[in-house]
Every structure is written in structure tokens, then in C-alpha cells.
């Protein structure tokens, strides 16, 4: 999990401000606790069955060995839809407003009534017309926190996975290689444990649901303490008190 993916977890949980230590704690817990233990439990199930490729049933059995009920993944996602921070509640969608020119001289062009104007007056009129006709377009700057609230609304509406599938598959392959070393009898294999695409998708879905529930618990702790920024202490408190039953 990279840092932008960690920020997306906090955004979906409703947090607009989080510390870098909280993101690092989530990343370490995701790699060292959830993925590592899930792959180890799944690998044991596959080896006991005498196979080398993990299927969906093997991933479900691995999570059940850790005490995680995979059938409640949808409940994990639906429970995190409730919002607890006042920053994300009742926010009206902002629309891009067009910068209007308040100078009335631009709407109605001034015309000269004299047929032979003086030279000095004509020069002054030309300079005034140049300054009035040239409009400078200023880029509209969003208010502090507006972009974060917009990201919160966008991520809460969608059900897509927050981690890119290719980096996740790469991480699963690297961790499985460390847990189950290379088989000397097979030169083409990099590990004794392989995963099908559906098994990796299920593994990613359950892992993200667990991380999302953890981040939501940490955001609840921050809201109870009447703070806006989610710190690493809140995440550690959630890790120590939430009942994952991992190992």
C-alpha cells in the first residue's frame, strides 16, 4: 500500500485531516498483520490439500482460521458508510462560478462625439480602453478543506477498491515468496504458493474491508476527543482495542 492509497482509506472513512504517522501505521499494519498472516494461513490450507494454487475456498478457510468471517465483508463496507465528522455532513456541492467583470465600461463602449478630438485626450482614451478591455482571468482557489470534502463524497459514493490491483498482486507475490521459498524441483516457479485471480480479488476485498473498519474506528476516537486530525495514537488505540482475532 502506498501513501495515496492510505489517504483514500481515511477519505472514505470521513476524515479530512490525518497525520503522516497515522498513514504509516495503517500501511505497516496492512502489510505485516493482515496480508502476511492471511497468506500464511492460506498457504497452510493449500499445502494440507496437496495443491500449489490457492482458490477462493482456500482464502476463505485461511481467514476463518484467523477468526475473520468473510461472509460479513459487505457488512464491513456498509458500516463504514455512516459519517461521524461534522466536516463531511451537510456539505453542499460546490459549483464553479464564472468570474464576472464588474466594470460597466466593458458592456457599453464609450464613443467620442467630437469629430476632431485633441491629441492628448485621444491618447488618454486609448489607454483607458486598453485597460478596460483587457480582463485578467484569475484562477479560483478553493477554500481550505474543500478538496478533501469533495474527495470524501466521491469515495463514499463508489464501491471500487482503494488499492490498485497490480501493486497488490506484486506485494502478494513478494510476500508469498518470502513465506514459501522457491521450489528447487521446479525451475519455472518463484514460490510454492500461487494464487488465482479470483482468490487475489477476494483477499484484497477482505483486507481493505478490515483496514476500512479500523480507520473508521480511529476516526470515531478522534471525533470523541473533539479533534479534527487523526493521529497515529488514534490508530494504535484502534489496533489494540478492535477485535480482529488475528493470531
Amino acid at each position: 500500500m502506498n501513501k495515496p492509497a492510505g489517504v483514500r482509506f481515511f477519505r472514505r472513512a470521513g476524515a479530512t485531516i490525518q497525520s503522516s504517522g497515522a498513514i504509516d501505521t495503517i500501511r505497516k499494519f496492512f502489510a505485516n498483520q493482515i496480508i502476511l498472516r492471511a497468506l500464511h494461513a492460506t498457504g497452510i490450507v493449500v499445502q494440507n490439500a496437496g495443491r500449489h494454487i490457492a482458490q477462493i475456498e482456500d482464502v476463505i478457510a485461511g481467514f476463518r482460521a484467523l477468526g475473520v468471517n468473510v461472509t460479513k465483508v459487505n457488512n464491513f463496507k456498509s458500516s463504514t458508510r455512516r459519517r461521524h465528522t461534522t466536516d463531511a455532513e451537510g456539505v453542499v456541492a460546490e459549483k464553479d462560478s464564472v468570474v464576472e467583470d464588474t466594470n460597466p465600461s466593458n458592456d457599453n463602449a464609450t464613443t467620442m462625439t467630437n469629430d476632431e478630438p485633441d491629441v492628448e485626450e485621444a491618447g488618454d482614451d486609448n489607454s483607458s480602453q486598453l485597460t478596460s478591455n483587457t480582463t485578467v482571468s484569475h484562477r479560483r482557489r478553493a477554500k481550505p478543506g474543500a478538496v478533501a470534502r469533495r474527495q470524501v463524497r466521491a469515495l463514499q459514493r463508489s464501491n471500487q477498491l482503494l488499492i490498485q490491483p497490480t501493486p497488490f498482486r506484486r506485494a502478494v507475490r513478494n510476500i508469498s515468496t518470502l513465506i514459501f521459498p522457491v521450489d528447487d524441483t521446479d525451475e519455472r516457479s518463484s514460490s510454492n504458493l500461487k494464487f488465482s485471480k479470483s482468490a487475489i480479488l477476494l483477499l484484497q476485498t477482505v483486507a481493505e474491508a478490515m483496514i476500512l473498519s479500523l480507520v473508521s474506528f480511529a476516526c470515531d476516537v478522534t471525533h470523541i476527543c473533539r479533534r479534527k486530525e487523526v493521529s497515529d495514537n488514534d490508530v494504535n488505540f484502534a489496533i489494540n482495542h478492535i477485535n480482529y482475532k488475528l493470531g
Side-chain angles (χ1 to χ4, degrees):
M1 181 197 302
N2 53 7
K3 194 170 182 178
V7 174
R8 286 194 292 270
F9 278 102
F10 284 95
R11 292 292 182 269
R12 179 167 285 183
T16 56
I17 304 174
Q18 69 284 332
S19 62
S20 59
I23 300 175
D24 294 337
T25 305
I26 289 297
R27 294 172 60 189
K28 292 178 182 178
F29 183 79
F30 180 79
N32 299 332
Q33 298 294 328
I34 297 180
I35 300 300
L36 184 63
R37 295 190 179 187
L39 291 179
H40 186 266
T42 304
I44 293 175
V45 172
V46 174
Q47 287 183 351
N48 292 335
R51 291 181 283 106
H52 295 283
I53 300 176
Q55 302 295 333
I56 297 179
E57 295 79 7
D58 302 326
V59 176
I60 294 175
F63 275 109
R64 286 180 179 176
L66 298 177
V68 179
N69 192 359
V70 181
T71 58
K72 294 183 179 181
V73 174
N74 294 327
N75 295 333
F76 273 119
K77 290 185 176 182
S78 61
S79 63
T80 54
R81 288 302 181 90
R82 56 182 178 85
R83 296 289 67 109
H84 46 269
T85 55
T86 56
D87 295 337
E89 292 179 354
V91 179
V92 181
E94 297 180 356
K95 296 182 180 180
D96 295 332
S97 60
V98 180
V99 179
E100 297 180 354
D101 190 6
T102 57
N103 191 0
S105 62
N106 292 332
D107 298 331
N108 298 323
T110 59
T111 58
M112 299 298 296
T113 57
N114 296 328
D115 296 335
E116 296 178 357
D118 296 335
V119 178
E120 295 179 357
E121 292 180 358
D124 295 337
D125 292 337
N126 292 331
S127 62
S128 63
Q129 288 180 1
L130 289 175
T131 55
S132 62
N133 291 329
T134 56
T135 58
V136 180
S137 60
H138 297 283
R139 184 176 180 181
R140 183 174 176 272
R141 185 174 181 179
K143 295 181 180 180
V147 178
R149 289 192 292 268
R150 193 182 301 116
Q151 293 175 356
V152 168
R153 292 192 297 269
L155 289 175
Q156 288 176 359
R157 292 193 191 101
S158 64
N159 291 326
Q160 297 180 355
L161 296 175
L162 300 178
I163 303 176
Q164 297 296 328
T166 303
F168 184 81
R169 288 196 297 266
R170 190 184 303 114
V172 169
R173 184 171 61 251
N174 295 333
I175 295 175
S176 62
T177 305
L178 295 176
I179 299 175
F180 304 96
V182 179
D183 190 3
D184 296 334
T185 59
D186 191 1
E187 297 179 354
R188 294 176 298 176
S189 66
S190 59
S191 175
N192 288 333
L193 182 62
K194 300 292 183 180
F195 285 88
S196 61
K197 293 183 179 180
S198 57
I200 292 180
L201 181 61
L202 179 62
L203 179 64
Q204 183 177 358
T205 304
V206 177
E208 286 193 8
M210 295 172 66
I211 287 293
L212 196 57
S213 61
L214 175 66
V215 174
S216 179
F217 188 88
C219 293
D220 288 336
V221 174
T222 306
H223 180 64
I224 291 172
C225 296
R226 295 183 179 181
R227 288 183 283 104
K228 293 184 178 180
E229 183 179 3
V230 182
S231 62
D232 53 347
N233 294 328
D234 300 330
V235 177
N236 290 324
F237 182 83
I239 290 174
N240 294 329
H241 289 79
I242 202 165
N243 189 14
Y244 277 135
K245 297 181 181 179
L246 294 177

